Each structure stands twice: as C-alpha cells, then as structure tokens.
Amino acid sequence: MALEIKQVEKARTRIAKFVHNTPVLTSSILNQWLGHEIYFKAENFQKIGAFKVRGACNTLAWLKERGQSPNHIVANSSGNHAQAVAFAAKRFGLSATIFMPEYSSQVKIQATKSYGAEVVLSKTRDITDEKVREAAQKEGTYWIPPYNHEQVVYGQGTAAYEALSDVSEVDAVFAPCGGGGLLSGTLIAARGLYPKTEVHGVEPLLANDAAQSLQTGKIQRLSGIPDTLADGAMTMAVGDITFEYLKQLDGFHEVSEEKMKYWTQWLTHLLKCRIEPTSAMTMGGVCQWLKGVSGRKKVLVILSGGNLDQQTTNKIWAEDHLGNPPLDLL
Amino acid sequence: MALEIKQVEKARTRIAKFVHNTPVLTSSILNQWLGHEIYFKAENFQKIGAFKVRGACNTLAWLKERGQSPNHIVANSSGNHAQAVAFAAKRFGLSATIFMPEYSSQVKIQATKSYGAEVVLSKTRDITDEKVREAAQKEGTYWIPPYNHEQVVYGQGTAAYEALSDVSEVDAVFAPCGGGGLLSGTLIAARGLYPKTEVHGVEPLLANDAAQSLQTGKIQRLSGIPDTLADGAMTMAVGDITFEYLKQLDGFHEVSEEKMKYWTQWLTHLLKCRIEPTSAMTMGGVCQWLKGVSGRKKVLVILSGGNLDQQTTNKIWAEDHLGNPPLDLL
C-alpha cells in the first residue's frame, strides 16, 4: 500500500477548523530518569477527548468536497468513535444515529447524546453491528466505520503530522494499535516527513490479534472478548486496509496489564493529564525498544485519548506504582 | 491591609523566567450543563505541579534584588511547598534543606530530592517545625514560610493576575484556602485589575478554621489534624498577614468531602487533567454561590495543583460519581 503523505496533508487542511492542534508535552523528570527525550502528543485534549474526531471529520469533509454529502450518518461503537461521529455530524449539520451496546459506559453514552446524536442501545455487539448495517442501507445514509476506511486513516494521521511538525525529526514514533487506524495514519505521516524515523505499534498482550496477524502474515481474529483495561485496543481484528499499512511498521510490541497500570499511573502523575490505559501502555513498548538501542534517543508517543470511566480508574489505582519510579526500567 | 497590585506586577516580572504562564481551560459541556461560563486557571500544569513555586521563586528573587541573597534555604512542609522551595533554590543556585514529616507521601519526598534538596524526615510535624526553626538560626540561612509572608502572597497572586489578563473581567474568582496565601494573592490581583469582580474562598467543611476565623473575627486554630482529602487545605490556622487579606473577601464557602470527591471526578473527566481535591472542591463553592445569583455568570476558578498519591486517588474513585452529571446542581 502506497504511503500518500499528500492525503494526510489534505485531511489536515480539511479538518483544521473542527479539531484542536493539541499540545506536545514533556516531563523533565521522566527524561532525566530514562536518559532519553520523550515527547507526548496529547490527543486526550482533543475534542471529545480522543483522536477519533480527526478521522470522522475528515470523512465528512471529504464527502462534502466531492458533493456527496449524505442526509444522515450512522456508526456503531462502544467507545470514542461513537462520540467522534456524533460530534462530527453536528459540526456538519447532519443528523446521526449511533448504535451502542448496552454495556457501554454511561459516561460515553451521555456524551454521545450531548453532541445531539440519537443513541440506540442493543444487548450485544453483534446486534449493534446488524442494526448499523441495516440502517446504512437507507438512501442518503452514510456509515462511518471506526478504522477500515482510507479517509479515516488519513484523518488520524494528522495527529502525528502535527506533532512531528512541532518536534521535528525523532528516532521513533510509537502509537497504540486497536483496529490500526491511528497507527496506519501515523506511519503515513512519519514516512512522508522523516523517512528515517522508525514507526512502532503497541498492543495489549491480552488482545494481541495484530501482533499475531503480523507474525503469520494473515489477519487473525481474537477468539473472545479480551479481558484488557485498554478498551481502545479491544478490537477483535484489524481491517484489510489497515493491515496493509501495518505490514510496513518497523516494530510491534505487546504489553502486560501490569505494565499498562504502571504507566497509566506514572504518565498521569508526571504529565498531570487524564490518560487512557490504551495510550499509556505505549510507554511499555517504548521501554522494550529502548533496551535494545544505544545512545540517547528522541521518541514521539501518540497519547490517543483520556476517556476513562470510574470502574477502569478504580482498577488502575488499586495498587501503588508511584512508590516505584521508572528509574531502572532500561 | 492595603491591596498593592503593583507588588503582584513586580512579582510577575521577577518570576517570569522561572515559572509557566499556565493555560486557562474551559469545558463546553460543563458550561452547557450549568448555564454559566467557568474558566479554570490550570496551575496543575505549573512547575512542580502546583502554584506554590510562584511564591517561593518570588521570595528568592526579591531577596536577590535587595542584595540579601542567603547561602542556604530551609523550609518545612509535607506537601507542595517542599517541592516548590527545593525547585526555587535550585534555580537560584542555592542549597536547600527541607524538613518533612515521615508520613509525607513518598512521591513528594522523592520529587523534593530530585530537585536537589536535602530532605530531613522527622516523626511528627512538631519535631519538623522545631528543626526548621533551629536550622533557620544559622547565619546566611533563610526560611521560606508556606504562606504568611508578603512576598509569598504577592507571588501566588500572579496566577490570578495572568488568568484575568487572559480572560478579562469576570463576575467572580474562586480559590481554595489553606493558609490563605493563594487566596490573599488572588484578592490583590482581582481587586487591582477589576474592582467589581467578587473574590471568594473555599475550604473543606472538616478543616474550616478560616471560615470560623472570619465568623468570629479572630484567628481560630483547628483542634486536631482534620480528616479531609484536601491535603492542601489541612493547614491548622491562617496567618496574621493572610487573615488581614481574607477579611476583605466577598464570600467564603465550606464544602463536604462527598462534594469534593464528586468534583474531583468530574473536573478530571471534563478537563482531562490531574486535579487535587483541594482544587476541585472550589467548584462546590462556585455552585453554592451560583444558586443565589441571577443571570448568566462568568467565573474564574484557580485550580491550585495536581499532585495526588495513589491512596488519595483510590479514595476519590471508590464510588462512581460520573453516572450523575452536574445537570441540576443549581
């Protein structure tokens, strides 16, 4: 699959007035401890609290540009994509119906509704998927998928594009992998701007379908819903479009739940931000990589979002990891 | 006590190169829900994670300006003041000894040490206080107190000064009250810039010494260490200098632990920030005030800091408040 940086640049122009150019954060104590420079692109400060709004806005702006604006938008999601599509539809003056499983967090259902979307709850994810397929059949209705769509990928790539424009060349960029949309977009942006910069993906060990897919060269599907705190990386399988991008990565890392909790506590503490475990786990991958390289490195980490419910927060903070600073991890 | 805005302006010039001009944050959903405009000055993004560094840096810069630079700095604190003085001393190239009770959080002891200060631990707060008094006797040694010092007050006032310069006139400014340094500085800044802006203080119900002092017209001391989550407002009594300022406030509010947890969860969620309960409780006071006024109001809240340990975080997130949005609080 060709890496078309021009498409990310077009996306960036399209969505500029709808999304934040989020800040890049650093922690001088963390850098002192690790002996490397780590830059964090803070998409937790993005509209709706996650990068997802980039892909959703780009898709709607792209349709509009081509004179194909739909009358109605639909999407299925239990998470940040639901809020992103609701937000984007409102900004483009379109009505939206979001199909969500009943077990989605109240906070996310609430937020999706406050952006003006109709929310339809179903018992299971399968019923949700069936309903959205049905709804998408209606004339004038457009279904924005969460990752397996070129314009969604280009939109998500604008986060890394902005960060690299701010920070300039780095040795490596790390992003979490769910369905692979953010990671694919990050790859396109990084390769286009700095071809020597490595691009790495990070996944929960308990939801390692992408790692398995890359190892076997064929898309692998998880056998059951994984018991990971990284709800943004619980996707059952990557898509055929995103998989073609993921094959071009320089590295891929799997991170335990324990390390995920550790880094969620520490990044929250050091950066003073609300950070999803899906985002924080990326530091587990960074440390695995840093162990095998020599010299002081410059690393960019894409923090994907900051939407956590009380139950997840509680699990993350059950034990104290702040008593054990990241001094000798490398 | 005269409110000398010029002193805050001088402090601002003195400390500009040592501290961040922190951002002012808003939440569009919160404003939609409450029907008012709330602006948050995010001192959790300040150096050392709290406003305290402003007062410490101003005091050292003021001494230097007068040709009275000491050789050595001492301070006593279990909290943010310890880190602030350690940070400031390092920036001015001075050695520092910080006296802390053993029960201080490991995270704060660690951070104080990483700024290069010597940390001396003692069993009780009383022993700590005795030791700092002794150490301060030595020639060339200067003791920076946590709040009861004009230059500390002027330094803390720079936070509100910056925020009001960004936001322009508001109907009211709210700040938390521990020893009263931040609140006194906020009063001076607000009165100087916008004399019609009301200034309000907020205190934990369980540590309401300032409220009692204001009611009785005499400084009241808590009878024992209060069992509040707001560790930044656990101070046993305000100082004679800060009390003279506090008497000129437009309002003072006491907030329950339950409301404190509620607002810590909600501000963390909406602003995507790490926020101390001492800071978040301020919204309890804002809501008390908003209930009694009419029309849409513009309010500035000073978020004092974002340093929490695991134990406090755990207590805050034990129960779910995110299921209950701040829709009908007013």
Side-chain angles (χ1 to χ4, degrees):
Chain A
M1 186 91 78
L3 301 177
E4 301 184 54
I5 182 85
K6 281 230 152 31
Q7 296 293 344
V8 174
E9 284 165 347
K10 276 188 194 167
R12 202 168 164 239
T13 309
R14 277 188 205 113
I15 66 175
K17 64 176 172 180
F18 303 111
V19 308
H20 293 308
N21 183 342
T22 53
V24 174
L25 310 176
T26 57
S27 161
S28 51
I29 287 192
L30 181 67
N31 288 346
Q32 183 187 315
W33 282 342
L34 296 181
H36 297 279
E37 276 171 77
I38 321 281
Y39 296 87
F40 298 94
K41 173 69 169 171
E43 283 291 287
N44 43 345
F45 291 125
Q46 188 49 268
K47 294 277 180 194
I48 76 114
F51 73 95
K52 290 274 186 187
V53 80
R54 295 176 180 267
C57 285
N58 184 50
T59 305
L60 291 185
W62 169 77
L63 286 169
K64 194 176 171 184
E65 203 175 279
R66 296 154 55 102
Q68 298 178 342
S69 271
N71 304 320
H72 188 66
I73 305 296
V74 293
N76 54 329
S77 164
S78 60
N80 288 331
H81 183 59
Q83 298 171 70
V85 172
F87 173 90
K90 190 179 182 182
R91 279 313 186 87
F92 283 82
L94 302 168
S95 61
T97 306
I98 314 290
F99 298 89
M100 301 178 81
E102 279 174 9
Y103 57 77
S104 310
S105 82
Q106 277 305 314
V107 164
K108 287 183 179 173
I109 295 173
Q110 225 167 52
T112 307
K113 286 181 184 168
S114 6
Y115 296 122
E118 184 196 7
V119 172
V120 177
L121 298 174
S122 305
K123 275 229 161 106
T124 68
R125 182 66 190 238
D126 287 343
I127 305 178
T128 298
D129 293 352
E130 204 180 301
K131 283 193 180 164
V132 77
R133 255 192 302 273
E134 233 175 78
Q137 305 287 324
K138 282 196 198 120
E139 174 114 17
T141 296
Y142 195 87
W143 177 9
I144 306 185
Y147 51 87
N148 204 38
H149 185 299
E150 288 290 3
Q151 295 305 324
V152 171
V153 166
Y154 298 143
Q156 319 303 34
T158 58
Y161 190 99
E162 284 171 11
L164 289 168
S165 307
D166 285 351
V167 174
S168 82
E169 190 162 9
V170 297
D171 296 296
V173 185
F174 282 71
C177 183
L182 176 65
L183 192 48
S184 298
T186 300
L187 179 81
I188 302 170
R191 284 284 193 276
L193 290 171
Y194 299 106
K196 285 182 197 157
T197 293
E198 293 192 17
V199 182
H200 291 248
V202 185
E203 204 176 39
L205 192 60
L206 295 182
N208 64 348
D209 60 284
Q212 287 184 37
S213 304
L214 289 169
Q215 275 157 26
T216 58
K218 236 180 83 179
I219 295 176
Q220 302 294 327
R221 215 181 147 74
L222 294 173
S223 55
I225 293 172
D227 188 24
T228 175
L229 284 172
D231 63 336
M234 280 175 76
T235 325
M236 303 301 280
V238 301
D240 56 344
I241 295 174
T242 53
F243 189 49
E244 291 307 309
Y245 288 115
L246 301 186
K247 285 177 184 170
Q248 303 176 56
L249 291 171
D250 299 290
F252 206 86
H253 309 268
E254 298 163 60
V255 173
S256 71
E257 297 299 300
E258 206 52 24
K259 273 270 177 291
M260 199 182 293
K261 289 182 202 169
Y262 179 89
W263 279 111
T264 308
Q265 288 195 10
W266 271 102
L267 291 190
T268 299
H269 178 64
L270 292 170
L271 301 176
K272 304 298 173 209
C273 280
R274 184 83 164 148
I275 292 169
E276 294 186 14
T278 306
S279 304
M281 85 176 164
T282 312
M283 274 305 292
V286 170
C287 286
Q288 286 177 24
W289 180 71
L290 286 172
K291 272 182 205 166
V293 298
S294 58
R296 190 177 172 85
K297 297 293 177 193
K298 247 175 113 170
V299 177
L300 170 67
V301 170
I302 313 288
L303 294 179
S304 49
N307 293 325
L308 289 89
D309 58 19
Q310 176 262 343
Q311 290 80 3
T312 308
T313 310
N314 222 4
K315 285 178 192 163
I316 286 164
W317 290 93
E319 278 162 35
D320 187 9
H321 293 291
L322 296 184
N324 174 27
L327 278 164
D328 46 9
L329 289 182
L330 305 183
Chain B
M1 187 90 80
L3 302 177
E4 299 183 56
I5 183 85
K6 280 229 153 31
Q7 297 292 345
V8 174
E9 284 164 347
K10 276 188 193 167
R12 201 166 166 240
T13 309
R14 279 189 203 111
I15 67 175
K17 65 176 170 180
F18 304 111
V19 308
H20 293 308
N21 182 341
T22 53
V24 174
L25 310 177
T26 57
S27 161
S28 51
I29 288 191
L30 181 67
N31 289 345
Q32 183 188 314
W33 282 342
L34 296 181
H36 298 279
E37 275 171 76
I38 321 283
Y39 297 86
F40 297 94
K41 174 69 168 172
E43 285 291 287
N44 43 345
F45 291 125
Q46 189 49 267
K47 294 277 180 194
I48 76 113
F51 72 95
K52 290 273 186 187
V53 79
R54 295 176 180 268
C57 285
N58 184 50
T59 305
L60 291 186
W62 168 78
L63 286 169
K64 195 176 171 184
E65 204 175 277
R66 296 154 56 102
Q68 299 178 342
S69 271
N71 304 320
H72 188 65
I73 304 296
V74 295
N76 53 330
S77 164
S78 59
N80 289 329
H81 183 59
Q83 298 171 70
V85 172
F87 173 91
K90 191 179 181 182
R91 280 311 188 86
F92 283 82
L94 301 169
S95 62
T97 306
I98 313 291
F99 298 87
M100 302 177 80
E102 279 174 10
Y103 57 77
S104 309
S105 83
Q106 276 306 313
V107 164
K108 287 183 178 172
I109 295 174
Q110 226 167 52
T112 306
K113 285 182 185 169
S114 7
Y115 296 122
E118 184 197 7
V119 171
V120 176
L121 298 174
S122 305
K123 274 231 162 104
T124 67
R125 183 67 192 237
D126 286 343
I127 304 178
T128 298
D129 293 352
E130 202 179 302
K131 283 193 178 164
V132 77
R133 254 191 303 273
E134 233 174 78
Q137 306 287 324
K138 283 196 197 120
E139 174 115 14
T141 295
Y142 195 86
W143 176 10
I144 306 185
Y147 50 87
N148 205 38
H149 185 299
E150 287 291 1
Q151 295 304 324
V152 171
V153 165
Y154 298 143
Q156 320 302 33
T158 58
Y161 191 99
E162 284 172 11
L164 289 168
S165 307
D166 285 351
V167 174
S168 82
E169 190 163 7
V170 297
D171 296 295
V173 185
F174 282 71
C177 183
L182 176 65
L183 191 49
S184 298
T186 301
L187 179 82
I188 301 171
R191 285 282 194 275
L193 290 171
Y194 299 106
K196 286 182 197 156
T197 293
E198 293 191 16
V199 182
H200 292 248
V202 185
E203 203 177 39
L205 193 59
L206 295 183
N208 63 349
D209 60 285
Q212 287 183 37
S213 304
L214 289 169
Q215 276 156 26
T216 58
K218 237 181 84 179
I219 295 176
Q220 302 294 327
R221 215 181 147 74
L222 294 173
S223 53
I225 293 173
D227 187 24
T228 175
L229 284 171
D231 63 336
M234 278 174 76
T235 326
M236 304 301 280
V238 300
D240 57 343
I241 294 175
T242 54
F243 189 49
E244 291 307 309
Y245 289 115
L246 301 186
K247 285 178 184 169
Q248 303 176 57
L249 292 170
D250 300 290
F252 207 86
H253 310 268
E254 298 164 59
V255 173
S256 70
E257 297 298 300
E258 206 52 25
K259 274 269 177 288
M260 201 183 291
K261 290 182 200 168
Y262 179 90
W263 280 112
T264 308
Q265 289 196 9
W266 270 103
L267 291 190
T268 299
H269 178 64
L270 293 170
L271 302 176
K272 304 298 174 211
C273 281
R274 185 81 164 150
I275 292 168
E276 293 186 14
T278 306
S279 304
M281 85 176 163
T282 312
M283 274 305 292
V286 170
C287 286
Q288 286 177 23
W289 179 71
L290 285 173
K291 271 182 205 166
V293 298
S294 58
R296 190 177 173 84
K297 296 293 176 193
K298 247 175 115 172
V299 177
L300 170 66
V301 170
I302 313 288
L303 295 179
S304 48
N307 293 326
L308 289 89
D309 58 19
Q310 177 262 343
Q311 290 79 3
T312 307
T313 310
N314 222 4
K315 285 177 194 163
I316 285 165
W317 290 92
E319 277 161 37
D320 187 10
H321 293 292
L322 296 183
N324 174 27
L327 278 163
D328 45 9
L329 289 183
L330 306 183

